[in-house]
Amino acid sequence: MTIYSIAQECGVSASTVSRAFTRPDIVNDDVRERIHAVAKRLGYQPNKAARGLATGRAGMVGLLVPDITNPFFPPLVRAIQQAASVQDWSVLLLDADEVADEETELVEQVRAQVDGLIVASPRSPDADLEDTLGDLPAVVVNRVVAGRPSVVCDNSAALTAAGQHLHQLGHRRFALLRGPEASWAARQRAEAIRGWALAAGVELVELGDFAASYEGGREAAPALLGSDATAAFAFDDLMACGVLAGLAEAGRSVPDDHSLVGCDDVLLAQTVTPSLTTVTAPVGELGTTAIELLHAAMRGEDARQVRLDGTLTLRASTGAVPAGVVSR
């Protein structure tokens, strides 16, 4: 099966068929969809190696994540892969294991193999990241790097809503369980919570930094118990699950003794007991937007920064301030 067979059936030229696979953005949508449908029915598979020689493109993009075991990232990987498939791109997944230096090494290893790179929640300093990326088209997810296109989930309004929800339940002393020091998202979330606490006139004690992990949450639980806070904001849902376990081991109940708010709304947040009140991230839209921005960067367009809003999702981990605690 060749492009000439498809061209004959679709009533177009062979060059149009070729462009539908190599330069789909310049082919009319109806024509492109008809060509792809006929190709699928006839079992035609384009030769990516040959296409790469003709176009100078590998047909592959890299996706660098800091820790694939964190449950936030698999849904993001899926969303990016699905969006990339629309462009007929393959995705090469890279896991830095929460090591900033590993990010640099991984980028150097694959830069000759990919047409562009999506970097999710990088831990490297801006200057190091920029030196490593160089002229490689790249998009940053959940972090803003000057001069680079980026898409971030802005949780500020949702975290403010979470604070207001807890305040209405009678809580007045709060704990902020900070995430990794190198995490841009951790800094942004902390700033949002500090701003809300200051405006609301409530007491906020900051604890950590803690790892964005289940064990990090278990380590945070004793610190929370020692703070006398009745409500806490965890950096993310995975940490919050560790906090739940640590509090249970200490004989404390959520939400009867403490209320707890997570962030990201990963699957664990819905299935853990009690289910987590959390901030839901628009993961599908993050992935789609990252691919759109990367496509634009590969065409040489100016960098854009896109902000998507998280939303507050109320579940069972937040409740009224414990009986006997005096609200101030």
Side-chain angles (χ1 to χ4, degrees):
M1 190 57 56
T2 68
I3 62 173
Y4 299 99
S5 308
I6 300 170
Q8 183 175 5
E9 180 153 344
C10 292
V12 298
S13 68
S15 60
T16 298
V17 175
S18 177
R19 284 193 292 271
F21 291 104
T22 60
R23 296 286 306 281
D25 52 306
I26 66 173
V27 178
N28 178 275
D29 290 347
D30 293 338
V31 173
R32 183 180 66 248
E33 290 173 6
R34 188 166 77 251
I35 289 171
H36 285 180
V38 170
K40 183 176 181 180
R41 178 166 55 80
L42 296 178
Y44 173 76
Q45 292 290 331
N47 186 319
K48 289 192 174 183
R51 184 177 66 183
L53 290 173
T55 64
R57 298 283 189 186
M60 180 180 291
V61 296
L63 170 56
L64 176 61
V65 300
D67 180 9
I68 194 58
T69 65
N70 186 308
F72 174 78
F73 291 106
L76 179 65
V77 171
R78 172 178 289 181
I80 288 173
Q81 184 169 331
Q82 290 175 341
S85 69
V86 176
Q87 302 292 340
D88 199 26
W89 293 343
S90 299
V91 178
L92 177 61
L93 179 62
L94 311 167
D95 178 15
D97 197 23
E98 286 285 359
V99 179
D101 289 344
E102 186 71 9
E103 292 176 346
T104 301
E105 293 180 12
L106 288 170
V107 173
E108 292 298 334
Q109 288 174 17
V110 304
R111 63 182 306 117
Q113 304 172 41
V114 298
D115 299 322
L117 185 67
I118 296 172
V119 186
S121 305
R123 303 307 192 219
S124 301
D126 283 8
D128 293 350
L129 189 63
E130 189 59 29
D131 287 344
T132 301
L133 294 174
D135 60 359
L136 180 67
V139 171
V140 185
V141 177
N142 272 348
R143 179 160 157 193
V144 174
V145 176
R148 292 283 177 181
S150 65
V151 54
V152 302
C153 180
D154 188 345
N155 295 315
S156 301
L159 288 170
T160 295
Q164 292 170 342
H165 164 68
L166 292 167
H167 193 269
Q168 290 168 357
L169 291 171
H171 297 276
R172 297 295 182 268
R173 182 172 173 82
F174 298 81
L176 168 60
L177 310 179
R178 293 192 303 251
E181 183 180 7
S183 168
W184 182 87
R187 295 193 295 273
Q188 296 300 305
R189 295 173 189 181
E191 288 177 9
I193 294 167
R194 289 184 195 116
W196 166 76
L198 181 62
V202 299
E203 190 174 357
L204 179 69
V205 56
E206 298 193 23
L207 306 171
D209 307 324
F210 300 104
S213 65
Y214 180 81
E215 287 303 321
R218 287 171 61 92
E219 292 175 7
L224 172 59
L225 289 172
S227 71
D228 292 329
T230 60
F233 299 89
F235 163 66
D236 66 3
D237 295 333
L238 186 57
M239 179 190 289
C241 287
V243 174
L244 287 175
L247 292 177
E249 290 173 358
R252 307 302 288 270
S253 172
V254 173
D256 293 338
D257 298 316
H258 300 273
S259 286
L260 183 63
V261 175
C263 202
D264 293 334
D265 201 9
V266 301
L267 183 59
L268 277 174
Q270 304 168 41
T271 57
V272 72
T273 301
S275 58
L276 279 174
T277 291
T278 188
V279 175
T280 301
V283 176
E285 196 174 355
L286 282 170
T288 301
T289 304
I291 288 294
E292 291 173 352
L293 291 173
L294 184 58
H295 198 194
M298 291 163 60
R299 295 196 300 264
E301 297 181 13
D302 292 339
R304 291 191 296 124
Q305 279 75 46
V306 178
R307 288 185 177 268
L308 307 174
D309 290 328
T311 55
L312 177 63
T313 299
L314 298 178
R315 295 198 182 99
S317 67
T318 49
V321 66
V325 175
V326 179
S327 298
R328 289 177 292 179

